[in-house]
Amino acid sequence: MLGFIIKSMVVAIALALLAYSIFPEIGLLRPVAASLAISLLFSFAYPYLRGVKRGDGLISVQASAGPLFMFGASTCVAMEDGRKGDQIPITFSDGTLGYGVIDAYEGLITPARIRILHKPTAMHEITVI
């Protein structure tokens, strides 16, 4: 997300400089300030517009996790696109498959969060559901 914010700011400033080169009478400060404001507002709205896409890294928590959920969290990968509240299949780092509900979209430095509903166990290299 941080990389997206930086890229959108660079594009917005480039557009502001282009506008200044075409219309120098508007001044430089207003277009630059407006472009930075727009890119910051868009970066907050972007996760809600995008949702979770297949292949996104997620942080998973147990469905019964309390306020200290980070101590029992693990990473996984989304196998389907989804929105907040949707149930999607996920793959854990050990290769097992499971299902979870999208709990929160990605933040500035944190990946999207998913609540694990069902995590099967792997037995002899075969995933048992």
Side-chain angles (χ1 to χ4, degrees):
M1 188 68 181
L2 194 57
F4 175 77
I5 292 173
I6 292 170
K7 289 176 188 176
S8 68
M9 283 186 179
V10 168
V11 169
I13 289 174
L15 291 173
L17 292 173
L18 181 63
Y20 176 69
S21 69
I22 295 172
F23 307 107
E25 64 274 357
I26 62 173
L28 183 59
L29 188 57
R30 282 186 182 161
V32 169
S35 65
L36 290 176
I38 289 169
S39 66
L40 283 174
L41 289 174
F42 186 69
S43 67
F44 285 113
Y46 181 70
Y48 295 96
L49 297 173
R50 181 178 184 272
V52 173
K53 300 292 181 192
R54 180 180 178 171
D56 283 355
L58 306 169
I59 189 163
S60 61
V61 295
Q62 294 294 332
S64 61
L68 300 175
F69 71 88
M70 290 301 288
F71 294 111
S74 62
T75 58
C76 57
V77 176
M79 298 301 292
E80 289 181 3
D81 297 350
R83 312 290 292 167
K84 191 172 180 179
D86 289 350
Q87 181 177 339
I88 61 169
I90 51 178
T91 302
F92 294 94
S93 57
D94 62 355
T96 58
L97 301 173
Y99 287 93
V101 174
I102 300 170
D103 213 15
Y105 293 125
E106 67 180 317
L108 184 61
I109 57 173
T110 58
R113 189 173 67 228
I114 192 162
R115 218 172 348 110
I116 301 170
L117 295 178
H118 180 63
K119 182 179 180 182
T121 57
M123 295 175 50
H124 305 296
E125 305 297 326
I126 299 172
T127 303
V128 179
I129 297 179

